[in-house]
């Protein structure tokens, strides 16, 4: 039977963002400089082939610093870490390399600057995500409060409604975040925020690419080794553009 012609469009940009690419290079350079094993706190990239290749060269992936020996180098992933992590590494006199993406570091600096100005910070992000934990961990407990949704804004308890600033996680949905920012500004008119929310260009561009393809493609295919946050946000963008979700992921993880 004659099959109808198939036109494939490739989204651009796609693949690793610059922050992850940089973190992978940092692990490779550390292995060259110090030899194996080099410990990596948190998976540096959600890609089995890259992780396996680094593992073969001598990288050891761990979740927490207490899984690392004192006498081997440790790399902190692109998500960023709470201040307590490098402080502990210093106490233990470990060699550590901070591979935090500069765009995440920018958010850390923003939060610290607002804190110095006497403001309490509202972070828009996902509870339990390493980046959220890292950003909230830049300041003493209670100085950063988390909201995930518009509903959270309604019940948010703050120290002083006139002394607030907000920051965002870098990998959020642009559209959902705009709604949360709008709710924050309505409830706390004096809240200060970045000129443009902190969602990074890599996240923004990939979500825009999915939107751009909606006018061209009948079926969008999103491939990701594991359904990490960025992938989930892209799926949501596709669903909002009217596509039906048929497979949650190739590896069977629920979205
Ligand atoms: S902030 Fe953006 S560019 Fe940096 S690691 Fe995260 S997704 Fe990548």
């Amino acid at each position: 039977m004659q099959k109808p012609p198939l036109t494939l469009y490739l989204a651009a940009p796609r693949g690793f963002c610059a922050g992850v690419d940089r973190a992978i290079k940092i692990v490779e350079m550390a292995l060259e400089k110090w030899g194996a094993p080099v410990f990596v706190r948190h998976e540096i990239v959600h890609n089995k082939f890259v992780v396996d290749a680094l593992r073969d060269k001598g990288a050891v992936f761990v979740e927490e610093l207490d899984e690392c020996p004192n006498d081997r180098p440790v790399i902190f992933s692109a998500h960023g870490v709470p201040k307590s992590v490098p402080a502990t590494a210093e106490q233990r006199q470990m060699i550590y390399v901070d591979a935090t993406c500069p765009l995440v570091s920018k958010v850390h600096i923003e939060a610290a600057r607002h804190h110095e100005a006497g403001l309490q910070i509202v972070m828009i992000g996902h509870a339990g995500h390493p980046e959220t934990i890292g950003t909230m961990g830049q300041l003493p407990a209670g100085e950063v409060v988390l909201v995930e949704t518009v509903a959270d804004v309604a019940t948010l308890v703050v120290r002083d409604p006139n002394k607030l600033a907000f920051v965002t996680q870098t990998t959020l949905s642009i559209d959902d975040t705009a709604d949360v920012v709008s709710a924050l500004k309505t409830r706390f008119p004096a809240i200060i925020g970045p000129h443009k929310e902190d969602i990074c260009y890599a996240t923004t561009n990939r979500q825009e690419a999915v939107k751009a393809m909606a006018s061209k493609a009948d079926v969008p295919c999103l491939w990701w080794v594991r359904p990490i946050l960025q992938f989930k946000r892209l799926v949501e963008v596709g669903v909002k553009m009217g596509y039906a979700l048929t497979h949650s992921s190739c590896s069977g993880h629920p979205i």
Side-chain angles (χ1 to χ4, degrees), residues 124-126 129 131-132 147-150 166-182 196-208 210-211 228-241:
I124 306 170
H126 293 287
H129 188 275
E131 186 185 326
T132 303
V147 291
E148 295 187 79
T149 61
V150 169
F166 73 86
V167 296
T168 75
Q169 195 180 319
T170 59
T171 47
L172 299 179
S173 150
I174 304 165
D175 300 333
D176 293 350
T177 305
D179 292 344
V180 179
V181 169
S182 166
K196 201 175 153 290
E197 76 295 288
D198 302 299
I199 297 170
C200 77
Y201 72 93
T203 301
T204 306
N205 292 349
R206 281 158 181 73
Q207 290 180 22
E208 293 301 332
V210 171
K211 286 182 189 170
I228 60 165
L229 269 184
Q230 276 205 349
F231 175 82
K232 292 178 192 178
R233 298 296 83 83
L234 291 178
V235 170
E236 285 166 6
V237 169
V239 169
K240 274 190 187 159
M241 299 309 289

Side-chain angles (χ1 to χ4, degrees), residues 9 13 16 29 32 40 53 56 67-68 72 80 89 91 102 105 109 140 144 155 158 173 184 213 228 235 240:
Y9 295 100
F16 304 145
M29 287 167 74
E32 272 170 34
V40 183
D56 288 346
E67 297 168 57
C68 310
R72 293 307 305 166
Q91 272 169 14
S105 298
I109 292 166
V144 186
T155 54
V158 296
S173 150
L184 278 173
M213 288 179 83
I228 60 165
V235 170
K240 274 190 187 159

Side-chain angles (χ1 to χ4, degrees), residues 143-167:
E143 292 301 317
V144 186
V145 287
L146 183 70
V147 291
E148 295 187 79
T149 61
V150 169
D152 290 344
V153 175
T155 54
L156 182 64
V157 178
V158 296
R159 199 167 44 219
D160 180 345
N162 294 313
K163 289 191 172 176
L164 287 177
F166 73 86
V167 296

